[in-house]
Amino acid sequence: MESGNRAALQIPEGKLADGGTYRWSVRACTGVGCSPWSAEQDLTVRVQPLPPMPASQSLVIGDAAFAGVSTATDCDAPGCATPPNGRLRVGTADGHLWATHLKADLGALPKGARVTSAKLSLTRSDCTTPCVVQQPDVYELSTPWTPAQSGRDLLTAAGNEAYVSGTALTEIDFGQLVQSWIDRGGNEGMALTVPGAAAGAEYHSGAASDASQRPRLTIDYLPPTAPGAVADVVAAAGDTGLLVTWNAPLDGGANSDVTYVVKAEKGDGTVAGTWEGTALRAVFTGLDNAGSYRVAVTPKNGVGNGPVSRSALVHGATVAGGAARYNDYIQAYLSARNRSSRGSAPPQPTLPPNPRTGRSSARSSTRRKPPSWPAPRPWRPRASRTWAPLRPWWTPWPPTVPTAASWYGPLSCRR
């Protein structure tokens, strides 16, 4: 991985025991070599129980909230052919190839709901005995379509990539499709077609006299709730500041982003600083080393706030040399990096005069040029032989060995 980025590692299941304490370290490696191992850190495994799954609810969308219309796709003029009243057609019938457009109004679905399943129900009207099950192709429309447009316009809006094909409608779960409509805040519906000139089928439309025969979309979903509590809130104190980290709640509560309101509190409960964002860490500065602080983390989403989780009390400590020494280190590092990226050598230090000769020992800032090598003589092979080009014998020097835990490398973990 790139230097400076954060990394995560997942230990295979069964390698660690719940309640066990381990020590781990890491090093970085390249094709040339590896850096030293980092200092060992303690790790205690605590398995968190999963929160109870909330009870799912169902919503049936039908009648005026679930519009359906059939159109002939083998002619350009709108309304060039009309199906029988109260019928929907998919496939070949009466000399035309038919497609059906269905569009659901999801306004009754609670905002932030997480869809677990969605089933489409169409009742056949062309047979009373068990019918041959039709397996239509289902397409999600990418652009709007209305009955005032032609059937070929419907195929154009449907595109070429099917959501599912060759599957009976009763076996198709439209949950993922419905969830994508919720995430986008709208939908253009879906089109049912058949490949080629396959035999058609007729279904009851929303105008059927029997309400149980009308098209409907049954959606199972988890109702939106506030997020659960965050876990492992750990505050690390510094010089007049602290860093706090935590883990996201196991249950986000809703189909929306979770944000965190983080407060640094004094020992008496007074708020010394507030931070809000989506990251899993926060930094507070300007604190008093003489005081003690704890951090309170509250997750929230579009539904409400979750429970508050707090860290243990921590105390700041003055760093020897103060912030000026740290700033000097950072400036020296940045200067060295900039010189390295420009290809210039760092300035050589001026040494004191030699006590024996009295002459200055200042080094020249110009590096000695590397020795020049004579150009190789051209090789002229015999005409009767075939020669392959030689690979260069030299390699860049000196090779670079990583000095920090970056890029990639082995991980050592032991009890």
Side-chain angles (χ1 to χ4, degrees), residues 59-67 103-105 121 206 211 214-218:
L59 173 67
V60 178
I61 299 177
D63 296 334
F66 195 35
K103 183 175 181 180
D105 182 355
S121 177
R214 298 170 187 169
R216 59 187 181 274
L217 183 66
T218 303

Side-chain angles (χ1 to χ4, degrees), residues 51-334:
M53 180 67 70
S56 63
Q57 299 182 11
S58 295
L59 173 67
V60 178
I61 299 177
D63 296 334
F66 195 35
V69 61
S70 296
T71 180
T73 61
D74 51 1
C75 54
D76 293 327
C80 64
T82 56
N85 187 33
R87 300 287 190 268
L88 299 176
R89 283 179 170 177
V90 180
T92 303
D94 292 342
H96 291 284
L97 184 59
W98 299 86
T100 291
H101 176 246
L102 298 170
K103 183 175 181 180
D105 182 355
L106 302 178
L109 197 64
K111 184 178 180 180
R114 293 164 289 177
V115 177
T116 59
S117 175
K119 292 289 187 177
L120 173 63
S121 177
L122 295 179
T123 304
R124 293 286 290 267
S125 62
D126 54 352
C127 55
T128 55
T129 59
C131 306
V132 177
V133 177
Q134 190 182 43
Q135 298 179 342
D137 296 339
V138 181
Y139 293 83
E140 179 189 10
L141 269 64
S142 58
T143 57
W145 181 88
T146 65
Q149 297 175 264
S150 67
R152 289 186 178 176
D153 291 335
L154 176 61
L155 296 182
T156 300
N160 298 321
E161 185 175 352
Y163 173 75
V164 67
S165 61
T167 306
L169 290 176
T170 55
E171 299 177 3
I172 300 175
D173 189 344
F174 293 89
Q176 183 178 356
L177 181 61
V178 174
Q179 185 67 69
S180 70
W181 292 341
I182 296 174
D183 295 341
R184 293 198 302 265
N187 73 92
E188 305 301 339
M190 54 184 167
L192 307 183
T193 67
V194 294
E202 281 190 357
Y203 303 89
H204 289 285
S205 72
S209 57
D210 187 349
S212 64
Q213 296 178 338
R214 298 170 187 169
R216 59 187 181 274
L217 183 66
T218 303
I219 302 175
D220 295 333
Y221 66 94
L222 299 178
T225 61
V230 302
D232 302 322
V233 182
V234 178
D239 189 353
T240 67
L242 60 83
L243 166 69
V244 60
T245 61
W246 61 91
N247 288 329
L250 295 177
D251 183 11
N255 182 40
S256 60
D257 292 334
V258 176
T259 58
Y260 304 94
V261 178
V262 187
K263 297 179 180 180
E265 301 174 342
K266 297 181 180 180
D268 59 2
T270 304
V271 176
T274 303
W275 176 91
E276 182 172 346
T278 58
L280 298 178
R281 61 187 181 277
V283 176
F284 292 93
T285 59
L287 305 182
D288 186 0
N289 288 340
S292 58
Y293 299 87
R294 66 166 54 92
V295 179
V297 182
T298 304
K300 69 175 185 178
N301 58 19
V303 178
N305 296 341
V308 180
S309 300
R310 287 182 168 85
S311 70
L313 284 170
V314 296
H315 302 267
T318 303
V319 177
R325 175 176 294 183
Y326 173 79
N327 292 335
D328 291 343
Y329 289 153
I330 295 300
Q331 186 59 49
Y333 163 75
L334 294 176

Side-chain angles (χ1 to χ4, degrees), residues 3 330-344:
S3 177
I330 295 300
Q331 186 59 49
Y333 163 75
L334 294 176
S335 299
R337 187 181 66 176
N338 291 337
R339 286 192 294 268
S340 175
S341 62
R342 293 195 302 264
S344 60

